[in-house]
Amino acid sequence: MDFKDDVQLDSSQVESRGRGRIPGGGLAVGGGAAGIIALILALVFGINPGDITGGSAPAPVGPGSDLSAQCKTGRDADQNEECRVVGVVNSIQEYWPKAVQGYEPAKTVMFSGQVNTACGAADASVGPFYCPADRQVYLDLSFFKELESRFGAKGGPFAQAYVIGHEYGHHVQHLIGTDAKAQGDRQGPKSGSVRLELQADCYSGAWAKNAYETGLFEKPFSRTDIEEALSAASAVGDDSIQERTQGRVTPEGFTHGTSAQRVKWFTTGYQSGDPGRCDTFSGDI
């Protein structure tokens, strides 16, 4: 995944916040979808940390790095992880207005350790998430190391791009009202939650297919790039996470879909390049 050296980045779409610590030691995990400690892992791509966090909100973190100073061109995006996030977000938000009428940009907030959101307080263990209440994507870059070391994914720049694309898929769902279909149906192999997450995977694939046309990348994504995304999608399937954390698979606790389903729906979006092919709410998934 290579950016054009001289392409101009818009750092205003991304905010970087400083480091912080959760007072008292961390998240208070309540009776969420799985009812077990693996819930934190199972919700790595969740859309509302307030559903699984408890207690009082931590103090706000301090200001982070100045992205406008360090992330100016595609060359910066190829050399710096935070600037790469800026570049990916720029491409995603260049794509969606052409695909969805009335698309409204959403800011990405990069944080370290903990963050306050309109959906509640969260720390890095929640993983990347989209908060519909403030229409922002939240991302702790340490998650990408966890994706490799804990979940067994190959890692790589495009694995990160897949994750960011997935979260912006949730933003699209919120804008068009699809996320309402999952309300009250948050658990089980054919639940609204699973269908919502698989659709976000498909939307990520649709962006990936069209990303070169957004003008930020040197060339279309390679087979290696796509394999990084598929590895990440497989690593965070509900069945893979449950097997790793509890030694057995319990489909009634699914919230995001199996590894095979996540790979299938990202691939559907990528091969078709058409978000209209991402209807996970009709028929079998």
Side-chain angles (χ1 to χ4, degrees):
M1 187 176 77
D2 298 316
F3 289 87
K4 293 180 178 178
D5 284 350
D6 58 353
V7 72
Q8 297 298 302
L9 301 182
D10 180 4
S11 61
S12 70
Q13 295 182 356
V14 180
E15 177 184 345
S16 180
R17 298 186 186 174
R19 296 182 175 273
R21 297 181 61 188
I22 296 288
L27 288 172
V29 181
I36 54 175
I37 192 65
L39 173 64
I40 295 178
L41 303 181
L43 291 178
V44 290
F45 287 167
I47 62 173
N48 188 346
D51 290 342
I52 61 171
T53 57
S56 59
V61 295
S65 55
D66 183 0
L67 296 178
S68 63
Q70 68 183 33
C71 302
K72 296 181 178 180
T73 67
R75 184 180 293 106
D76 298 324
D78 284 331
Q79 298 175 350
N80 178 287
E81 187 176 39
E82 290 188 345
C83 298
R84 182 163 64 238
V85 171
V86 173
V88 169
V89 170
N90 287 174
S91 175
I92 291 170
Q93 301 210 105
E94 178 70 20
Y95 165 67
W96 277 112
K98 299 178 177 67
V100 172
Q101 186 175 6
Y103 178 82
E104 299 174 6
K107 180 174 285 189
T108 287
V109 177
M110 290 189 290
F111 69 97
S112 180
Q114 54 114 51
V115 68
N116 285 329
T117 82
C119 295
D123 76 1
S125 62
V126 177
F129 61 91
Y130 171 71
C131 174
D134 59 22
R135 296 188 177 187
Q136 294 189 138
V137 171
Y138 291 87
L139 178 66
D140 188 319
L141 294 180
S142 66
F143 170 76
F144 296 124
K145 296 181 177 63
E146 290 285 296
L147 197 60
E148 297 178 58
S149 64
R150 179 172 291 182
F151 301 118
K154 291 181 179 179
F158 200 77
Q160 298 179 5
Y162 153 69
V163 171
I164 298 169
H166 174 102
E167 298 310 329
Y168 273 90
H170 285 312
H171 177 55
V172 172
Q173 290 169 331
H174 184 63
L175 291 177
I176 64 180
T178 311
D179 54 358
K181 295 182 179 182
Q183 291 181 2
D185 189 17
R186 304 294 300 175
Q187 189 174 344
K190 295 184 178 182
S191 63
S193 176
V194 167
R195 293 176 185 273
L196 200 70
E197 298 298 334
L198 295 178
Q199 186 179 63
D201 282 338
C202 187
Y203 283 166
S204 183
W207 160 73
K209 183 66 173 182
N210 293 282
Y212 176 68
E213 303 301 324
T214 65
L216 278 85
F217 298 99
E218 191 68 40
K219 56 186 177 181
F221 297 135
S222 68
R223 181 182 181 89
T224 299
D225 291 328
I226 301 307
E227 286 176 351
E228 290 177 358
L230 295 178
S231 176
S234 178
V236 292
D238 282 326
D239 52 342
S240 295
I241 291 173
Q242 289 182 348
E243 183 68 37
R244 189 177 297 112
T245 58
Q246 63 189 36
R248 67 185 189 282
V249 176
T250 54
E252 63 272 17
F254 285 0
T255 58
H256 285 63
T258 66
S259 295
Q261 287 174 317
R262 302 200 72 163
V263 168
K264 169 190 171 182
W265 282 101
F266 175 85
T267 302
T268 296
Y270 181 72
Q271 290 182 342
S272 68
D274 178 9
R277 297 286 299 276
C278 296
D279 182 8
T280 57
F281 286 86
S282 298
D284 194 19
I285 52 176

